[in-house]
Amino acid sequence: MTATPTTTDPRRARDLLTRNLTHVVKLPSDAVEPLLCALVAGGHALVEGIPGIGKTLLAKALAACIDGEFRRVQFTNDLMPSDVIGASVWQQDSGTFRFVPGPLFANLVLADEINRTSPRTLSCLLEAMESGKVPVDGRTEPLGRPFMVLATRNPVEFHGTFPVPEAALDRFLVRVELGYPAPELELELYVDGAAERRLDEVQPVMDPTQLLELQRRCAEVQVTAPVAEYALRVVQSTRDHSQLQLGASPRAALAWLGAAKARALLDGRDHVLPDDLKALAVATLAACGSDTAGNDEDATSDVAADVGADDAGTPDAADAAEEDTQDARDAVDTSRASDVAAEDATADTGDAASDATVDTEDAAPAERTSDFFGDHACLKQGLIRHRLWLPRLPVVTIDLDMTD
């Protein structure tokens, strides 16, 4: 791979970052985009997947793309906070203590298997992720800038692990689930040769200073009132839905909007569109939602059975859950019948509502509802996996012209 000059053009940076990452690790585009949004938004990412699919290689490639310092921490049950932060060491020649920084003092830190460490050490990592600094001997030491934690968690081998609390998951801007690569991508992996050689071929897309400039520009991306209300209605619906264990918090909504800002910037825009929110709904809301991965082996099948036989995977699973979920299906059928009536009423009244920017007539008896994700089946499946399926939410009419 030939040398590529660094750039601060958002769209070119997105294309070059995607090319570099997919060259080293054969990833689908829907897994790359949330990671790039977290990087540009100044957030942190949680990557889940079985061993051997390239999570560590992905972190190294991302660090190489920004020409930043990379450090890896293998979390174990005997890891101490000083092993992560660093410690003051006695200097015999000077007769003083000198602070030796730990692996957290890097631009990109790979926190490998965070569910294998004790709550005490995990809290140390969370504080660093939240504030960008750590306490050392009664004073505060700032971490590197930019600073990003890419944590991993394996969905297998849970012996000796600790539950990751909701507060920890809420610190991650995005949550990406990696599986086996598609056959054509896996074939490219075998043909291209050694992974370390591909990693050595990666050229920096930008330096840390240029990344900080992109992060500054990301913070300036505009979120108009209609888009903000759109996000508000979605997160409020997650708090009341019967199929959700834990609704999205205000911090989750802010993270969602922050990631959407990054996506808008990488697309060359200075304003957020609803499409940005939809594209990142799974990655961000699942990161700030219920902790089911690894702690409930039947979570996926249970939720799939709740939403009908088509999502249950096998006829036997659907039949077994039929009695328990009949009431839920009846409720959904009733809701769908209301949808048809609402759509008929809307057709009779013409296009009078099309001029409204956001429909606020919540008390109307024939309020129109619809599947929030429409044809985005992959989003629904992603939220099912994380028990964050939002099957029916009010339709929000939004003026997509956000330039004013």
Side-chain angles (χ1 to χ4, degrees):
M1 183 177 296
T2 59
T4 304
T6 58
T7 180
T8 55
D9 177 69
R11 299 186 70 173
R12 177 167 170 77
R14 177 197 61 188
D15 295 340
L16 292 176
L17 286 167
T18 302
R19 187 185 70 179
N20 283 353
L21 294 180
T22 54
H23 175 69
V24 177
V25 185
K26 303 304 179 181
L27 297 174
S29 58
D30 59 348
V32 174
E33 185 178 63
L35 295 176
L36 298 187
C37 290
L39 177 69
V40 173
H44 309 284
L46 175 63
V47 179
E48 298 181 319
I50 62 173
I53 58 175
K55 297 187 295 294
T56 301
L57 199 61
L58 173 63
K60 290 181 178 180
L62 191 58
C65 286
I66 63 171
D67 199 21
E69 182 181 358
F70 171 80
R71 301 292 296 273
R72 176 180 180 270
V73 184
Q74 177 62 55
F75 280 78
T76 59
N77 55 9
D78 59 350
L79 193 73
M80 299 296 292
S82 59
D83 298 326
V84 179
I85 297 176
S88 295
V89 180
W90 175 256
Q91 302 294 308
Q92 185 68 33
D93 53 350
S94 62
T96 58
F97 283 95
R98 181 176 67 88
F99 175 67
V100 179
L104 270 187
F105 289 82
N107 298 121
L108 195 147
V109 178
L110 174 62
D112 219 351
E113 297 186 284
I114 59 169
N115 57 329
R116 293 195 179 277
T117 194
S118 65
R120 179 183 179 185
T121 304
L122 183 59
S123 66
C124 158
L125 176 67
L126 296 180
E127 181 178 357
M129 292 168 56
E130 181 73 16
S131 62
K133 49 192 175 183
V134 293
V136 176
D137 296 336
R139 67 181 189 279
T140 300
E141 289 285 345
L143 298 174
R145 294 192 64 221
F147 172 66
M148 179 181 182
V149 172
L150 196 154
T152 70
R153 185 170 62 167
N154 294 333
V156 294
E157 299 178 353
F158 299 108
H159 180 71
T161 62
F162 296 85
V164 180
E166 304 299 336
L169 293 177
D170 218 20
R171 296 301 193 279
F172 293 99
L173 182 66
V174 298
R175 178 178 177 181
V176 179
E177 183 177 307
L178 298 183
Y180 292 111
E184 60 274 12
L185 295 178
E186 190 169 359
L187 181 60
E188 291 179 11
L189 185 68
Y190 302 154
V191 173
D192 287 346
E196 293 299 329
R197 179 185 60 79
R198 297 196 305 274
L199 180 62
D200 292 338
E201 294 174 348
V202 171
Q203 298 295 328
V205 175
M206 64 187 74
D207 59 33
T209 302
Q210 292 171 320
L211 176 56
L212 290 174
E213 173 63 17
L214 276 184
Q215 291 178 350
R216 183 192 65 80
R217 293 172 61 182
C218 177
E220 296 175 351
V221 173
Q222 297 298 312
V223 177
T224 58
V227 174
E229 185 169 351
Y230 178 82
L232 173 65
R233 296 184 67 178
V234 172
V235 296
Q236 285 183 331
S237 298
T238 68
R239 300 165 190 168
D240 301 328
H241 202 280
S242 60
Q243 290 180 325
L244 300 184
Q245 288 185 337
L246 181 64
S249 67
R251 179 164 56 190
L254 290 173
W256 191 19
L257 289 170
K261 286 184 177 183
R263 187 178 187 271
L265 179 65
L266 292 175
D267 199 38
R269 289 180 278 107
D270 62 354
H271 56 276
V272 174
L273 297 179
D275 287 345
D276 298 320
L277 293 171
K278 289 183 180 181
L280 296 167
V282 173
T284 53
L285 295 183
C288 305
S290 301
D291 178 19
T292 61
N295 297 325
D296 184 358
E297 296 179 356
D298 298 325
T300 302
S301 60
D302 289 346
V303 178
D306 289 341
V307 298
D310 290 341
D311 294 323
T314 63
D316 292 339
D319 293 339
E322 183 68 29
E323 294 182 1
D324 296 335
T325 61
Q326 187 60 47
D327 292 340
R329 290 199 191 97
D330 292 340
V332 172
D333 291 339
T334 302
S335 177
R336 288 174 178 168
S338 299
D339 290 347
V340 174
E343 290 174 359
D344 292 339
T346 302
D348 293 338
T349 56
D351 299 329
S354 61
D355 295 332
T357 302
V358 178
D359 182 13
T360 57
E361 299 177 359
D362 296 331
E367 180 184 19
R368 181 183 177 188
T369 59
S370 177
D371 186 345
F372 170 66
F373 292 111
D375 295 331
H376 298 276
C378 61
L379 296 184
K380 186 176 80 169
Q381 292 298 328
L383 294 182
I384 286 174
R385 287 197 301 270
H386 298 290
R387 289 199 172 184
L388 278 170
W389 182 51
L390 313 178
R392 314 196 69 77
L393 294 178
V395 166
V396 181
T397 305
I398 294 181
D399 182 4
L400 298 183
D401 184 8
M402 302 297 176
T403 57
D404 296 334

